[in-house]
Amino acid sequence: MGEEVLVEMAREIAAKLRDNLTVDWAVRDSVRAKLRIMIRTLLRRYKYPPNQSKDAVEMVLKQAEVISASEMAA
């Protein structure tokens, strides 16, 4: 995957997460499941390697947790 595609994909993921996160998203399994599906769908659309998508989904969710925690602390 080229750098331009990865940047575009990252921007779209960030926008979708921003639009779909709720206050309690980190503790509600149903919300986390919805986010996982949304991220997987986006990865498939960009033809992200399927054998790496599970790790990518988990990494995105961990990054979202860090960003969310830092925004709540500010």
Side-chain angles (χ1 to χ4, degrees):
M1 300 187 89
E3 186 174 331
E4 291 175 17
V5 173
L6 291 173
V7 169
E8 182 181 335
M9 187 169 50
R11 284 187 182 141
E12 189 170 345
I13 287 173
K16 285 189 178 284
L17 286 173
R18 224 177 287 115
D19 293 343
N20 289 285
L21 290 182
T22 60
V23 173
D24 58 351
W25 77 272
V27 294
R28 292 194 56 202
D29 289 335
S30 62
V31 177
R32 291 178 68 84
K34 178 184 170 189
L35 292 173
R36 276 191 182 89
I37 291 168
M38 180 187 63
I39 295 165
R40 277 191 210 113
T41 301
L42 192 130
L43 292 174
R44 263 187 253 124
R45 193 172 75 229
Y46 280 94
K47 296 181 180 21
Y48 195 82
N51 61 335
Q52 297 176 5
S53 66
K54 182 179 179 184
D55 292 337
V57 170
E58 293 307 314
M59 182 174 31
V60 168
L61 288 176
K62 285 179 185 175
Q63 290 172 344
E65 287 174 6
V66 170
I67 292 168
S68 177
S70 67
E71 286 182 6
M72 304 257 319

mmCIF file of all heavy atoms in Angstrom, residues 48-55:
data_model
loop_
_atom_site.group_PDB
_atom_site.id
_atom_site.type_symbol
_atom_site.label_atom_id
_atom_site.label_comp_id
_atom_site.label_asym_id
_atom_site.label_seq_id
_atom_site.Cartn_x
_atom_site.Cartn_y
_atom_site.Cartn_z
ATOM 1 N N TYR A 48 -6.873 -3.633 2.383
ATOM 2 C CA TYR A 48 -5.838 -3.870 3.378
ATOM 3 C C TYR A 48 -5.623 -5.373 3.481
ATOM 4 O O TYR A 48 -6.589 -6.138 3.398
ATOM 5 C CB TYR A 48 -6.294 -3.306 4.731
ATOM 6 C CG TYR A 48 -5.194 -3.161 5.733
ATOM 7 C CD1 TYR A 48 -4.347 -2.063 5.715
ATOM 8 C CD2 TYR A 48 -4.998 -4.132 6.712
ATOM 9 C CE1 TYR A 48 -3.328 -1.931 6.640
ATOM 10 C CE2 TYR A 48 -3.987 -3.996 7.640
ATOM 11 C CZ TYR A 48 -3.155 -2.904 7.605
ATOM 12 O OH TYR A 48 -2.148 -2.774 8.518
ATOM 13 N N PRO A 49 -4.390 -5.822 3.641
ATOM 14 C CA PRO A 49 -4.138 -7.273 3.687
ATOM 15 C C PRO A 49 -4.969 -7.969 4.780
ATOM 16 O O PRO A 49 -4.865 -7.616 5.953
ATOM 17 C CB PRO A 49 -2.643 -7.367 4.014
ATOM 18 C CG PRO A 49 -2.076 -6.043 3.603
ATOM 19 C CD PRO A 49 -3.176 -5.044 3.772
ATOM 20 N N PRO A 50 -5.811 -8.916 4.399
ATOM 21 C CA PRO A 50 -6.705 -9.577 5.362
ATOM 22 C C PRO A 50 -5.974 -10.235 6.532
ATOM 23 O O PRO A 50 -6.489 -10.253 7.645
ATOM 24 C CB PRO A 50 -7.426 -10.631 4.529
ATOM 25 C CG PRO A 50 -7.244 -10.232 3.119
ATOM 26 C CD PRO A 50 -5.989 -9.420 3.051
ATOM 27 N N ASN A 51 -4.790 -10.758 6.281
ATOM 28 C CA ASN A 51 -4.069 -11.434 7.360
ATOM 29 C C ASN A 51 -3.514 -10.444 8.392
ATOM 30 O O ASN A 51 -3.062 -10.862 9.451
ATOM 31 C CB ASN A 51 -2.949 -12.306 6.800
ATOM 32 C CG ASN A 51 -1.913 -11.504 6.028
ATOM 33 O OD1 ASN A 51 -2.193 -10.424 5.501
ATOM 34 N ND2 ASN A 51 -0.710 -12.041 5.944
ATOM 35 N N GLN A 52 -3.566 -9.152 8.109
ATOM 36 C CA GLN A 52 -3.078 -8.143 9.048
ATOM 37 C C GLN A 52 -4.204 -7.295 9.626
ATOM 38 O O GLN A 52 -3.972 -6.440 10.469
ATOM 39 C CB GLN A 52 -2.069 -7.232 8.342
ATOM 40 C CG GLN A 52 -0.829 -7.955 7.878
ATOM 41 C CD GLN A 52 0.099 -7.044 7.100
ATOM 42 O OE1 GLN A 52 -0.129 -5.848 6.977
ATOM 43 N NE2 GLN A 52 1.154 -7.611 6.561
ATOM 44 N N SER A 53 -5.431 -7.538 9.191
ATOM 45 C CA SER A 53 -6.531 -6.662 9.598
ATOM 46 C C SER A 53 -6.879 -6.787 11.079
ATOM 47 O O SER A 53 -7.223 -5.792 11.714
ATOM 48 C CB SER A 53 -7.762 -6.893 8.737
ATOM 49 O OG SER A 53 -8.287 -8.164 8.940
ATOM 50 N N LYS A 54 -6.780 -7.975 11.659
ATOM 51 C CA LYS A 54 -7.113 -8.142 13.079
ATOM 52 C C LYS A 54 -6.207 -7.266 13.939
ATOM 53 O O LYS A 54 -6.677 -6.555 14.830
ATOM 54 C CB LYS A 54 -6.996 -9.605 13.497
ATOM 55 C CG LYS A 54 -7.369 -9.842 14.936
ATOM 56 C CD LYS A 54 -7.277 -11.295 15.320
ATOM 57 C CE LYS A 54 -7.631 -11.453 16.785
ATOM 58 N NZ LYS A 54 -7.474 -12.810 17.247
ATOM 59 N N ASP A 55 -4.907 -7.314 13.657
ATOM 60 C CA ASP A 55 -3.963 -6.491 14.409
ATOM 61 C C ASP A 55 -4.210 -5.004 14.171
ATOM 62 O O ASP A 55 -4.102 -4.192 15.088
ATOM 63 C CB ASP A 55 -2.520 -6.840 14.031
ATOM 64 C CG ASP A 55 -2.114 -8.230 14.488
ATOM 65 O OD1 ASP A 55 -2.734 -8.754 15.445
ATOM 66 O OD2 ASP A 55 -1.180 -8.801 13.890
#
